[in-house]
Amino acid sequence: MNKFLLLFLLCTPMIYGQTVLEPDSSGVVKSNDSLVVSQALKKDTIVPFKRFKAEGVSAVVGEHIILDSDIDKAYVEMKSQGMSVEDVSRCQLMGKLMEDKLYAHQAKQDSIMVADAEINGMIDQQLQYMVSELGSEEKVAAYYRKDNIADLRRELFEANKNIKLASLMQQKVIEKVEITPEEVRTFFFSIPEDERPVFSAEIEIAQIVVEPEVTQEAKDEVIAKLYAMRADIIDNDASFSTKAVLYSKDPGSASKGGLYEGVKRDSPWAKEFKDQAFSLLEGEVSEPFETEFGYHILYVEKIRGQEVDVRHILLFPEVSQKSIDEAHKRMDDIRAEIEAGEITFAEAAQKYSDDKETRNNGGRLVNPVTFDTKFDLTKMDPTLSAKVYNLEEGEVSKVFTDRDRTGKSSLKILTVTKRFEEHTADYTKDYERIKELALREKQIKVINKWQNEKIKSTYISINEDYQDCDFAGDWVK
């Protein structure tokens, strides 16, 4: 099974979590469609990217070139993600890079199209996150050894486009692959008992959230502040950008003057935000308005067809200590009611929780990675794991304070609704997970067949240093 999983890793587009990787010579990086800067790039933990001298061309696949330095970079990228490279050879990485290039090359041959607007939207999100982490566009450009942000944007455009093309090409190859129950059964029972996969311990979690009440007085105070800023901008020609840097509570845009570029009507912004963005003329400043995130004023900097560049200032009302104390007492009462058996946790969540996303589902949390309700204890968020790791099934945690990305506080209690201990795969209990593994194996076979067919019809040249590699595909002609 370990060999199978390694093979699947090497035969699919490599995923590096939340990391922006420096493109190689052909403008292709190894990552997923939504590249963002790694947490390792935070201002206080920046580690300069180590550059490698390109010693020559290692391979050519279609119009794509792979340099020796690209393989070195791949090692660095894997290490930066905490992945072990001890058993990963240069031959394996070369094979992976060539497969990625083949996907991108064949996507163009098959006329798979990606709209420039889609790629630009992805780049905007990447750069916004980079700036929020590093502080300014100049610092981002310097970090990636670019003269300016425009050069980085151009390189990211080619990288993102090739990644998207490769992803679409692979999806096309396997989109019709299906698996029958009999194939799942055959797959599972063909694995010797002592080699069957071991599934990690998992848990299902539910929560109840109580938000301290925000008084009308606090709301009015914030609105008054925003009106004062607006008046200063309009009447005294004060800088909107400077005020955003000084006062906005939006960590994603404050450092760059509240700027968000390329806002679209169908983008996932709050409705109220988009209504303001598309109702104003260039240079106009909105009156204060409310979204689920807080209170804003918005300035339209540039209208570009169906997209607008805007700046905004976000504030949210201060919560009084009295409101916090009242919320804590309310949560203590809810917890006591559950502990006394007067109400179930699920019923209490539905009745009392202020979290709209979970309260109607008994407070159950959804894993943002797998989109089901199970969390692998070895992979879940460390902060969440610390709260539930020692809880018994049905036990309720103590009341604790949680803060979202804007700094807004709420009170929470958690419970473990079900525990699944680490165990060797069981055909009946773990059928869905076994089915996924069986489907992956079948997809790999389809991919390998497709690759070998396309290799025959694609120009491929491999440096003699890699001629003796035992590649998964028939790369050496």
Side-chain angles (χ1 to χ4, degrees), residues 71-95:
I71 300 173
D72 295 324
K73 288 177 186 177
Y75 274 115
V76 174
E77 291 155 6
M78 291 177 70
K79 289 178 181 178
S80 72
Q81 293 301 306
M83 300 169 65
S84 173
V85 298
E86 193 172 323
D87 298 322
V88 180
S89 68
R90 292 184 72 84
C91 284
Q92 287 174 320
L93 286 181
M94 168 66 94

Side-chain angles (χ1 to χ4, degrees), residues 208-212 327 330-331 334 352-354 409-412:
I208 295 174
V209 180
V210 169
E211 297 177 354
R330 181 184 171 205
M331 186 63 96
I334 294 170
Y352 301 120
S353 183
D354 291 327
S409 296
S410 61
L411 298 174
K412 290 185 179 181

Side-chain angles (χ1 to χ4, degrees), residues 57-77:
V57 175
S58 295
V60 178
V61 179
E63 71 274 31
H64 297 288
I65 297 172
I66 300 172
L67 301 179
D68 291 339
S69 59
D70 296 330
I71 300 173
D72 295 324
K73 288 177 186 177
Y75 274 115
V76 174
E77 291 155 6

